[in-house]
């Protein structure tokens, strides 16, 4: 039986990458040791670091005036790093609030700096909805504008990018980085915890416009300091080397799949298959307005919530794992990141159809 893991994070990884890691686990590059047992400053590891950056730059078409950092601390580490590095004396930071994670970023920033909270959700009685970024009313005077293009828990995705005449645009792409083509130059800072679409937890990707590295910001821990990490090649202290190595392998896998453009096409196919099935089922529902439905995280609800436990236990038996929704929104959630194949979504839809028939 095939097993498909719909966990929101840490999430499923490409089997080909896992097999390669397994094959070289004890003996990497014929050195007789594992990649996680060698110095991060050794030639072979520095080669991994350079190769992973080059691959990510190719995959996302990152312009030369952007730095790529491989940091610690996950998405929440960046919730602290962003205000500490980007604060400008006498200016507030604008936080656009579209759900649980953008709220988390705001709460963290409020510990350090002054913020302006802009609500961009416009939920209706029947469901979740969000105002497109083109309609956001952003204050002119801002140190930066922070938003979350894909709310992993709410299943709400923003497909357009906010614009501001002066303030840098900062995006938390933890759950949708590399899922579809974006124009990096429309952003000034992109960050993402690795554990959803890139690799194991612990590693955090930061793509930052080099001019932003000059900001003085506030006193901050060295490991959260962008300019210091940039100067040190992301090796101010020991980086999460195994996660970094695995990320490099995932980037190679992505290139072999045809890059982000090819992934986007598959991701759209996967999402359409699942949403269309849910919408016409009469048994399940998705509460997110169509224009902002996430390509990566699909929350859905059984119309009869008394069947939730039965649904989850039978899904588990069928090899469809981790479908329980986040406690804050309830119901179910299928996370369908890059590494979750179309066959996995088909298997889920087939299971859901049978379950609906048996329990309808
Ligand atoms: C998972 C997630 C986070 C939190 O990541 P951690 O690495 O656990 O700190 C932040 N933002 C978004 C959008 C996420 O999906």
């Amino acid at each position: 039986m095939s097993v498909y893991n719909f966990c929101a994070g840490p999430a499923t990884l490409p089997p080909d990458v896992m097999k390669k890691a397994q094959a070289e686990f004890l003996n990497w590059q014929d050195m007789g040791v594992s990649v996680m047992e060698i110095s991060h400053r050794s030639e072979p590891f520095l080669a991994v670091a350079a190769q992973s950056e080059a691959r990510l730059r190719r995959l996302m078409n990152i312009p030369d005036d952007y730095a790529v950092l491989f940091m610690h601390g996950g998405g929440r580490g960046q919730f602290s790093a962003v205000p500490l590095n980007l604060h400008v004396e006498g200016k507030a930071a604008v936080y656009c609030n579209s759900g649980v994670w953008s709220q988390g970023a705001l709460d963290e920033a409020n510990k350090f700096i002054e913020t302006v909270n802009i609500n961009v959700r416009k939920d209706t009685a029947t469901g979740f909805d969000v105002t497109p970024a083109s309609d956001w009313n952003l204050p002119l005077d801002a140190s930066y504008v922070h938003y979350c293009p894909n709310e992993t828990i709410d299943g709400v995705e923003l497909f357009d990018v906010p614009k501001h005449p002066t303030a840098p645009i900062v995006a938390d792409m933890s759950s949708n980085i590399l899922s579809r083509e974006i124009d990096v130059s429309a952003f000034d800072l992109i960050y993402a915890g690795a554990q959803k679409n890139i690799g194991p937890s612990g590693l955090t990707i930061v793509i930052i416009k080099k001019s932003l590295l000059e900001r003085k910001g506030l006193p901050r821990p060295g490991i959260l300091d962008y300019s210091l990490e940039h100067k040190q090649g992301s090796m101010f202290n020991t980086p999460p080397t195994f996660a970094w190595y695995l990320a490099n392998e995932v980037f190679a896998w992505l290139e072999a799949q045809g890059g982000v453009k090819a992934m986007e096409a598959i991701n759209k196919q996967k999402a359409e298959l699942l949403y269309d099935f849910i919408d016409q089922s009469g048994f399940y529902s998705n509460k997110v307005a169509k224009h902002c439905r996430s390509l990566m995280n699909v929350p859905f609800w059984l119309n009869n919530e008394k069947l939730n436990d039965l649904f989850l236990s039978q899904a588990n038996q069928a090899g469809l794992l981790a479908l329980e929704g986040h406690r804050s929104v309830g119901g179910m959630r299928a996370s369908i990141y890059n590494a979750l194949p179309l066959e996995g979504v088909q298997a889920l839809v087939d299971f859901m159809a049978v379950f609906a028939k048996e329990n309808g």
Side-chain angles (χ1 to χ4, degrees):
M1 178 181 74
S2 309
V3 167
Y4 296 106
N5 174 12
F6 295 90
C7 189
T12 193
L13 288 164
D16 288 348
V17 169
M18 299 294 266
K19 280 181 203 143
K20 182 164 189 283
Q22 183 182 45
E24 53 196 37
F25 192 64
L26 295 178
N27 182 13
W28 182 63
Q29 294 191 351
D30 267 336
M31 293 168 65
V33 292
S34 167
V35 64
M36 70 173 112
E37 298 173 300
I38 64 166
S39 167
H40 52 295
R41 302 190 194 281
S42 64
E43 282 298 326
F45 194 82
L46 290 175
V48 169
Q51 192 174 46
S52 57
E53 178 174 338
R55 282 178 171 150
L56 186 62
R57 283 185 179 277
R58 283 199 296 270
L59 282 165
M60 293 182 69
N61 213 351
I62 301 173
D64 289 342
D65 59 336
Y66 286 72
V68 177
L69 309 177
F70 291 80
M71 296 181 71
H72 296 272
R76 283 193 187 274
Q78 293 306 309
F79 290 179
S80 324
V82 166
L84 291 173
N85 284 272
L86 300 192
H87 173 66
V88 175
E89 197 65 46
K91 283 193 189 194
V94 172
Y95 276 74
C96 304
N97 205 332
S98 59
V100 176
W101 287 117
S102 32
Q103 178 70 50
L106 170 71
D107 292 342
E108 185 69 9
N110 278 334
K111 293 181 189 168
F112 308 114
I113 61 168
E114 198 186 317
T115 61
V116 177
N117 178 10
I118 310 263
N119 175 36
V120 299
R121 279 283 284 268
K122 48 165 187 180
D123 290 7
T124 60
T126 48
F128 300 169
D129 201 352
V130 67
T131 309
S134 52
D135 293 338
W136 294 355
N137 232 327
L138 300 174
L140 272 181
D141 199 34
S143 55
Y144 61 87
V145 174
H146 179 281
Y147 84 113
C148 180
N150 187 62
E151 284 286 358
T152 321
I153 291 171
D154 310 64
V156 167
E157 185 159 4
L158 280 150
F159 293 96
D160 65 342
V161 181
K163 286 192 178 64
H164 194 280
T166 53
I169 303 291
V170 179
D172 174 4
M173 290 197 194
S174 292
S175 53
N176 71 343
I177 190 167
L178 294 163
S179 66
R180 55 182 168 84
E181 288 192 299
I182 58 158
D183 174 9
V184 171
S185 69
F187 303 86
D188 298 273
L189 197 168
I190 291 168
Y191 66 85
Q195 71 271 24
K196 279 123 191 188
N197 236 349
I198 293 177
S201 58
L203 180 71
T204 315
I205 305 291
V206 174
I207 301 163
I208 180 170
K209 200 162 192 181
K210 284 179 182 160
S211 55
L212 269 188
L213 296 170
E214 328 254 297
R215 285 209 176 173
K216 183 162 169 277
L218 293 168
R220 53 196 176 267
I223 60 163
L224 293 182
D225 188 320
Y226 296 143
S227 138
L228 180 65
E229 285 289 4
H230 178 56
K231 280 189 205 113
Q232 302 274 343
S234 302
M235 293 189 188
F236 166 60
N237 73 327
T238 313
T241 52
F242 188 75
W244 196 339
Y245 146 85
L246 211 78
N248 184 36
E249 296 300 333
V250 170
F251 296 155
W253 176 81
L254 279 172
E255 288 196 309
Q257 305 305 301
V260 176
K261 196 188 176 100
M263 286 319 305
E264 175 172 351
I266 300 170
N267 286 334
K268 284 183 170 157
Q269 226 184 323
K270 282 151 53 184
E272 199 175 285
L273 175 63
L274 186 49
Y275 285 115
D276 284 353
F277 170 77
I278 292 168
D279 286 345
Q280 58 76 46
S281 69
F283 190 87
Y284 308 94
S285 65
N286 174 279
K287 297 180 190 170
V288 183
K290 285 202 169 137
H291 72 99
C292 57
R293 286 179 167 183
S294 170
L295 291 176
M296 294 283 99
N297 309 96
V298 182
F300 62 92
W301 290 261
L302 277 68
N303 293 345
N304 177 1
E305 296 233 285
K306 289 199 188 91
L307 294 170
N308 282 358
D309 289 346
L310 185 67
F311 179 90
L312 284 168
S313 73
Q314 290 190 0
N316 250 314
Q317 282 161 24
L320 306 166
L321 309 185
L323 286 165
E324 187 167 10
H326 191 271
R327 59 193 177 282
S328 65
V329 294
M332 308 294 155
R333 172 175 52 172
S335 293
I336 51 176
Y337 298 118
N338 285 346
L340 196 291
L342 181 61
E343 301 84 73
V345 177
Q346 187 62 58
L348 174 61
V349 164
D350 292 346
F351 167 80
M352 287 169 71
V354 170
F355 187 87
K357 210 166 164 198
E358 287 175 0
N359 297 281

